[in-house]
Amino acid sequence: MSHNSFGHLFRFTTWGESHGPALGVVVDGCPPGLEISEAEIQAYLDRRKPGTSKFVTQRREPDAVRVLSGVMPKPLVDETEPDDSTTLITTGTPISMMIENKDQRSKDYGEIRRQYRPGHADFAYDAKYGIRDYRGGGRSSARETAARVAAGAIARKVLEASFPMVKIRAAMVGMGTQSIDRTNWDWDEVNRNPFFMPDAQAVGRWETYLEEVRKAGSSVGALIEVQAQGIPAGLGAPVYGKLDQDIASALMSINAVKGVEIGNGMEAASLTGEENADEIRMGADGQPEFLSNNSGGVLGGISNGDTIVARFAVKPTSSILTERRSIDADGQEVDVRTKGRHDPCVGIRAVPIAEAMMACVLADHWLRHRGQVGW
Amino acid sequence: MSHNSFGHLFRFTTWGESHGPALGVVVDGCPPGLEISEAEIQAYLDRRKPGTSKFVTQRREPDAVRVLSGVMPKPLVDETEPDDSTTLITTGTPISMMIENKDQRSKDYGEIRRQYRPGHADFAYDAKYGIRDYRGGGRSSARETAARVAAGAIARKVLEASFPMVKIRAAMVGMGTQSIDRTNWDWDEVNRNPFFMPDAQAVGRWETYLEEVRKAGSSVGALIEVQAQGIPAGLGAPVYGKLDQDIASALMSINAVKGVEIGNGMEAASLTGEENADEIRMGADGQPEFLSNNSGGVLGGISNGDTIVARFAVKPTSSILTERRSIDADGQEVDVRTKGRHDPCVGIRAVPIAEAMMACVLADHWLRHRGQVGW
Amino acid sequence: MSHNSFGHLFRFTTWGESHGPALGVVVDGCPPGLEISEAEIQAYLDRRKPGTSKFVTQRREPDAVRVLSGVMPKPLVDETEPDDSTTLITTGTPISMMIENKDQRSKDYGEIRRQYRPGHADFAYDAKYGIRDYRGGGRSSARETAARVAAGAIARKVLEASFPMVKIRAAMVGMGTQSIDRTNWDWDEVNRNPFFMPDAQAVGRWETYLEEVRKAGSSVGALIEVQAQGIPAGLGAPVYGKLDQDIASALMSINAVKGVEIGNGMEAASLTGEENADEIRMGADGQPEFLSNNSGGVLGGISNGDTIVARFAVKPTSSILTERRSIDADGQEVDVRTKGRHDPCVGIRAVPIAEAMMACVLADHWLRHRGQVGW
Amino acid sequence: MSHNSFGHLFRFTTWGESHGPALGVVVDGCPPGLEISEAEIQAYLDRRKPGTSKFVTQRREPDAVRVLSGVMPKPLVDETEPDDSTTLITTGTPISMMIENKDQRSKDYGEIRRQYRPGHADFAYDAKYGIRDYRGGGRSSARETAARVAAGAIARKVLEASFPMVKIRAAMVGMGTQSIDRTNWDWDEVNRNPFFMPDAQAVGRWETYLEEVRKAGSSVGALIEVQAQGIPAGLGAPVYGKLDQDIASALMSINAVKGVEIGNGMEAASLTGEENADEIRMGADGQPEFLSNNSGGVLGGISNGDTIVARFAVKPTSSILTERRSIDADGQEVDVRTKGRHDPCVGIRAVPIAEAMMACVLADHWLRHRGQVGW
């Protein structure tokens, strides 16, 4: 069962509501002996945290992570060595990480306590549970994704321990009406602009566009691409443990995601077999080389050694200032306008989340593969 | 773990290779007391089976299903009643169904025993397992999907027992360069043409197009839409048990699928919040009515009572007559041409498979919901 | 996978080491709408906590539980009602509970950092992970069981909501050479003596005995019986989801447990069919009545409506003052004597833990049953 | 979920009723490249099959296993090599095995169709499902255990591939009033008498005893011990993935089992810490040597390298010729006498079943361990 857990051998469980005292994650199945520090995990959380630019929610959360279990200070090989107390080492037991909520403003949401915001989970939660933590969206809030990013930091360690060349990176490649020129793709640029976007020439245009959206109290959707390099051929499993199936599941589990593509994705529907299949030659390094990557690095549900490529669409947040028609918990028709803090483009913060989820899927499949096949 | 199983409370496990003696499925967790007959299950299998038109593989398989466990003849209420021995009743124990393979022609595949067909799983399976059942694609063959359709027939029974109005239907809405006019959508038409396509006016055009593809020994991709009506609000679960996440997982697990969309899908990336969020009014029947369905019937991972809508792209099969560059198991560069029987558009048979997978996801989520919430 | 999780629909995951900052549990799948307070959970924890008598470890831990998620203050029906802020209501999302460690004394364990205490998990952990949190036993410490008790408090709420007459109670029925006279069984007595023992006449004798054991720096094993009354017939599942199988799994997962019995248990091996099978008559209330309970309330893995009865043996703790022969991490032979605080009879605190585990198994099976069968 | 599945990475699912057309098992997660033949699997089934002596049920079942998937003929290294078509090699995909039922005599059971046999699962199944396959006990029949033995044959291959010295053996050590002299223990004797019993001197006495039981139409319980040698230290996992927990679960899942012990088991309750803890010295081979084995080879849920020892009690079958008081499906009081074929001591056939379950637990834990830790 997996209401709030993800993965199998590398498995994590998240908990916490937007306006509760804290949120967190328990990572189970992590291999022992991996070195990690809270600072490394924090660095990933800082990329996702709110309030970093005017384009993301102004909620002020330090998102400071505490590692509560599953690690111990790295044992000193030599007792005379200076004690590096910040380096932790995993012990193979569950790693619990907690992030306290600091800037809840539940009052902002009093009005919508019994109203169903169009496009939000409010109505569906009430229909399911008969009760709903309306404060900040409760469990449906994107605050939960901080826990994913923390889990993803551990997953990267798992992968790096076996595949030192692994790189898992995401970037925004579309936002509302805006797109990029892929020939300008520069991974270094991704961390220089507020959009995690790889085309330096498009930044100004995107800023102008999103500023208008923001001022209008509106919102826009986004298209994000995530890539994993350095993953060997062989991860995944046939039929219901397909690597791309689990990537799709992981990405679709992120709030507001409505579509997921692997490789050429939806475009594959319009191609012929000649256009679509990636031809193979032997590379200079004696390894097979795919002459194109329509497959997105996955064939028959199993990685083929090429870069794993996935894309997903994030819908625009429904928290907008324009009044929208809706109903309340009594079945009365109402007009709803959301006044709380929110993101003009929630897709921006989905970039580090997508990296984390990709890392978790790959770490899980790596351990599963090693379990069954032995390398 | 789920290498070859899908679902949680309604859980099925499939087995079998393309050229083995048989394939099958074990459905675990089915509620007791459901009436079913082999004929009903067979009817769904007949829609998927090969050889029904010149546009699908010419392999001749009756795909006759046998129910081996988990059912008993319906007990007679009145001993004088005529014995209706074809009606079975589920007992709550695992339902095993088997389909024998009848028309294997392993010789067709001798040549590709050590060659990696571009776009196929051959290379990835060898990289993973170090061994591969090359005969007809082994486990990576679409023959496995017959087992899904059998499981789906049981899943429909589960849903129908609680939601008599439920309708789960799929249709092909795009094929290579061909599309449909959605204003012509007619569900009855879907079963009248060889494409499971809902636009009667497009049939002739599609036939001409696919005949050319077929004669050229080529193949094309397809776009398929699957809809579930009559599902109440409340199915799904937050965060990692999202209904749309499990639909995405289910559809992406189908062979050759490269992209999955819920509701407006990838298009959501380019919309504003005002355009995207579905407004709500009270319907004439006293139930909430969504004024649009961009959400695809799912909000925050939970069904909202509207029609559930998903779409997915199937890539063109890589089994084509044109020679393609590849390598063999020894790392030698070779040119590969696939001579076995295959489908010019594998997407056609994905239509009944998609219905089956949607039914299985919904049946599982219904039982999970009933377990946790109690209705 | 279940390294650190237990259950399926009612599923909990624990984390934390003996000498880390905290320990905790995440309970997933709890039905919404259950009223609970931290004080109720605390009451169960207080029964298990250390330092309550001279017969349990003298570590001083308040074991104060904090509920961090999955609940909200009970909504007021009438705004003029006084706010009862201590009553919480479950929302259906994961319930995270945390207990801080307050009285770690890691120095006590410095000596055994590289020594393997006979009968302890030290050697096995090192053999598995290559690293071991030696401080207080790390993850193998019985401190983990506090998390089980917290989960059990939630599980009781789940059961009580559907079966108001349910009673889950355990008692110690043997300790080293000491036994009880079952004809004196008095459930009220269980909470009056430091052993959770139901025979008032045996208390003095047991106290004298254990005091001698304690003073000698020795330890003894214990035999515990746990009973669940008020559980309807029908919980459990055939073959690998047997109710008694899951009870056995739950009890054997408790630290130091070496044997588990259902009903007449090991004694069944020596009986005849005539002696063993429980005959049935119709009771005065129109319900089936079993004339004996050798089955322990479970037939074919499914509850039969009679009292569910299980027993288990807890070994004596290996933390004793007598020197024992062992080896250290370098393979050197050493003599080990454990000086840390510990329990002369760890079985005492296993009593509330056993109740908690029984409650969790039953809550899980109740939700699973309701999911599949619908009542 | 695990109604009818067992294990995680090495996971099997069984199906089939006593009087259905067949029963079977799907083994998922088996490593690729293992050589196996149907004859090897059959040899294990032959030890369990009915009708081998007058002391087991006289139902005549060949229990012939067919392997339907997950294997292929062993590829010839050299084309001139003679084709050894009986040697199969696992491919890493699910292994489906089927056994047809040949000797159903459903008429024998007509009378008990609506009667609840005391000590049987009849009443509990009806209470749960509202319907019950009364023919031969349906799913609750011990015929299901043939599927376990087939799975166990695969599990042994998994273990042998990594640990060539592994030996998994069981023996009956008690039957009703009869016991053995452990100083006479001879594993070779186990396969020479109809009881799988290791004490040659006790055979005559046991035969006389059971013959009397059989002639009286009665039945007796049994005590069985299962041992696994050659398993390295390190298998298992803390807390809810304990090796002994999963062994207890596996053994308690076998029909009619009422108690399970690891190592000294229930006896541990009466010992002191000095008596119980196994001391350690370095062995002549440079490996740790335990001076006793009260632990049964498991410490803290993890194997310690010593022989793994478990024991379990099988109750006497309730199918006896003596009339017993019971009720029927209408709540009428009846006297029940079971006339179908059955075993005077069902424990006999539990011996090969226990070996199979132990092998499956160990194979699963080995793959899980390898997944997490990497060796």
Side-chain angles (χ1 to χ4, degrees), chain D residues 15 25 39 51 55 103 127 138 147 197 217 273-274 305 307 325-326 336:
Chain D
W15 55 270
V25 60
F55 297 131
D103 187 27
M197 195 261 289
E274 288 80 4
T307 299
R325 290 173 288 173
S326 187
V336 178

Side-chain angles (χ1 to χ4, degrees), chain A residues 280-327:
Chain A
I280 323 177
R281 295 279 88 169
M282 289 307 290
D285 59 353
Q287 292 299 307
E289 188 182 319
F290 292 87
L291 305 185
S292 54
N293 191 8
N294 289 323
S295 74
V298 186
L299 288 169
I302 297 172
S303 64
N304 67 7
D306 207 343
T307 300
I308 295 171
V309 181
R311 261 181 318 284
F312 61 100
V314 180
K315 72 177 183 184
T317 179
S318 309
S319 298
I320 50 177
L321 289 179
T322 309
E323 284 199 339
R324 307 295 290 163
R325 289 174 288 175
S326 188
I327 59 171

Side-chain angles (χ1 to χ4, degrees), chain A residues 1-6 8-9 12 14 116 118-121 123-125 127-129 139 144 148 175-177 216-223 233-242 244-246 248-250 252-255 257-266 268-282 288 290-291 294-296 298-300 302-304 311-318 320 322-327 331 333-335 357 368-369 372-373 375, chain B residues 1-6 8-9 12 14 116 118-121 123-125 127-129 139 144 148 175-177 216-223 233-242 244-246 248-250 252-255 257-266 268-282 288 290-291 294-296 298-300 302-304 311-318 320 322-327 331 333-335 357 368-369 372-373 375:
Chain A
M1 291 297 306
S2 56
H3 295 322
N4 291 281
S5 298
F6 190 86
H8 298 266
L9 274 190
F12 67 91
T14 73
Y116 298 133
H120 272 276
F123 170 72
Y125 267 64
K128 181 176 191 72
Y129 297 119
R139 184 70 179 148
E144 184 272 341
R148 301 174 186 236
M175 178 178 64
T177 59
S218 183
S219 64
V220 285
L223 186 66
L235 303 199
V239 184
Y240 306 111
K242 288 191 165 86
D244 39 355
Q245 171 187 5
D246 286 349
S249 171
M252 197 65 95
S253 79
I254 300 173
N255 310 42
V257 173
K258 300 303 290 181
V260 176
E261 301 184 312
I262 307 293
N264 58 4
M266 302 307 293
S270 58
L271 300 183
T272 64
E274 290 79 3
E275 293 163 332
N276 186 70
D278 304 309
E279 294 183 290
I280 323 177
R281 295 279 88 169
M282 289 307 290
F290 292 87
L291 305 185
N294 289 323
S295 74
V298 186
L299 288 169
I302 297 172
S303 64
N304 67 7
R311 261 181 318 284
F312 61 100
V314 180
K315 72 177 183 184
T317 179
S318 309
I320 50 177
T322 309
E323 284 199 339
R324 307 295 290 163
R325 289 174 288 175
S326 188
I327 59 171
E333 301 194 336
V334 292
D335 289 332
M357 292 305 290
R368 289 167 67 173
H369 174 80
Q372 185 181 12
V373 177
W375 59 264
Chain B
M1 290 299 307
S2 56
H3 294 323
N4 291 281
S5 299
F6 190 86
H8 297 267
L9 275 189
F12 67 90
T14 73
Y116 298 134
H120 272 276
F123 170 71
Y125 267 63
K128 182 178 190 71
Y129 297 119
R139 183 70 178 149
E144 183 271 343
R148 300 173 186 237
M175 178 177 65
T177 60
S218 182
S219 64
V220 285
L223 186 66
L235 303 199
V239 184
Y240 305 110
K242 288 191 165 84
D244 38 355
Q245 171 187 5
D246 285 351
S249 172
M252 196 66 93
S253 78
I254 300 172
N255 311 43
V257 173
K258 299 303 288 182
V260 176
E261 301 184 312
I262 307 293
N264 57 5
M266 301 307 292
S270 58
L271 300 183
T272 64
E274 289 79 4
E275 292 163 332
N276 187 71
D278 304 310
E279 294 183 290
I280 323 176
R281 296 279 86 170
M282 290 305 292
F290 292 86
L291 305 185
N294 289 324
S295 75
V298 185
L299 288 169
I302 298 172
S303 64
N304 68 6
R311 261 180 319 284
F312 61 98
V314 180
K315 72 178 184 184
T317 179
S318 309
I320 52 177
T322 309
E323 284 199 339
R324 307 294 290 163
R325 290 174 288 174
S326 189
I327 59 170
E333 302 194 335
V334 293
D335 289 332
M357 291 307 289
R368 287 168 67 174
H369 175 80
Q372 185 181 12
V373 178
W375 59 264

